[in-house]
Amino acid sequence: VDSADASCYIQSLNKTLHENNWQHLGCFMGGLLSLGATGPRASEDKAAAEGITYTCYEMYNRSPSGISPDSVDFEDGKDFVAANPHYVLRPEVVEAIFYQWRRTHNPMYREWGWQIAEALVSVCVSNTTGGFAGVEDVRLSPALAKLTQDEEQQSFFLAETLKYLYLLFSEDELVPLDQFVFNTEAHPIKIFHPAPNTPWLRGVKT
């Protein structure tokens, strides 16, 4: 769906009702569509991937704290507004930005990633420990949002959020995407190209 401000998102489906709600979790679609943009639909999928990634970046960029809410609502004829103002250190936006960078090498994507990284340091470095923490209300200024930390560092923050940020600023030769695929928890898995005489492939039609 293209909203009034030309942002792109995918509507939520509640049974048979489409809702103008978009979750941070869904932002992985920006990377998925970019990675899979081949064949006759390549141009459409690339455009959708860029639009979704832009929307997801704007969830950070337009937030007073610089940190994205967990979900937003799009109102007819209006901009999006925070639906769930909690942030739990999710990785999907930087994941999408990483894939866009690898596909286009447009420096804009590294600028977006750096902006998000700086916001994480400003708002999410724990007030009581040496780690990071989620934020209960991203609608506040950075200083006030920092006071609403939930004091929980999710495991996926290390496994995914920081990993994708690191790879965003690394050379393509580090985990090349033509040799590895990331699973849903960002663990790189070597792409396996079995030989035709591989025992367990015998008799399997390919």
Side-chain angles (χ1 to χ4, degrees):
V1 175
D2 287 331
S3 71
D5 66 340
S7 293
C8 179
Y9 67 102
I10 300 172
Q11 290 180 314
S12 298
L13 181 62
N14 184 0
K15 295 183 180 179
T16 60
L17 178 65
H18 287 87
E19 298 178 340
N20 293 327
N21 177 270
W22 178 242
Q23 297 186 21
H24 194 293
L25 282 167
C27 288
F28 81 94
M29 286 297 298
L32 185 148
L33 289 171
S34 180
L35 191 62
T38 59
R41 282 190 49 86
S43 60
E44 291 90 342
D45 287 345
K46 287 178 182 177
E50 291 173 359
I52 288 172
T53 304
Y54 170 71
T55 298
C56 293
Y57 159 71
E58 285 296 313
M59 289 166 64
Y60 286 82
N61 189 47
R62 301 183 191 182
S63 172
S65 64
I67 297 295
S68 171
D70 202 55
S71 64
V72 296
D73 286 333
F74 285 84
E75 301 177 355
D76 292 339
K78 299 180 181 179
D79 199 354
F80 60 72
V81 295
N84 180 356
H86 195 184
Y87 174 71
V88 294
L89 306 172
R90 292 199 190 280
E92 294 80 17
V93 175
V94 292
E95 175 185 359
I97 291 173
F98 160 72
Y99 280 114
Q100 291 292 353
W101 162 254
R102 282 290 184 92
R103 182 176 67 80
T104 68
H105 292 102
N106 184 335
M108 171 184 70
Y109 292 113
R110 280 185 164 175
E111 293 170 4
W112 290 2
W114 187 254
Q115 179 182 334
I116 291 171
E118 287 188 315
L120 286 170
V121 171
S122 173
V123 177
C124 297
V125 170
S126 175
N127 293 318
T128 59
T129 69
F132 284 72
V135 176
E136 294 283 358
D137 196 342
V138 302
R139 299 168 298 181
L140 305 173
S141 69
L144 292 178
K146 189 175 178 68
L147 296 177
T148 71
Q149 290 180 357
D150 62 13
E151 292 305 327
E152 293 184 6
Q153 179 178 283
Q154 305 293 336
S155 61
F156 54 70
F157 177 69
L158 299 176
E160 301 180 68
T161 309
L162 293 185
K163 184 182 296 177
Y164 283 122
L165 281 171
Y166 181 81
L167 290 172
L168 176 62
F169 296 98
S170 301
E171 298 298 325
D172 290 4
E173 289 73 23
L174 181 63
V175 195
L177 296 182
D178 60 346
Q179 299 179 36
F180 291 87
V181 62
F182 289 99
N183 69 7
T184 57
E185 300 304 316
H187 301 308
I189 300 173
K190 182 76 172 178
I191 296 173
F192 178 50
H193 300 285
N197 62 349
T198 300
W200 57 264
L201 277 181
R202 291 173 184 167
V204 176
K205 295 181 179 180
T206 59

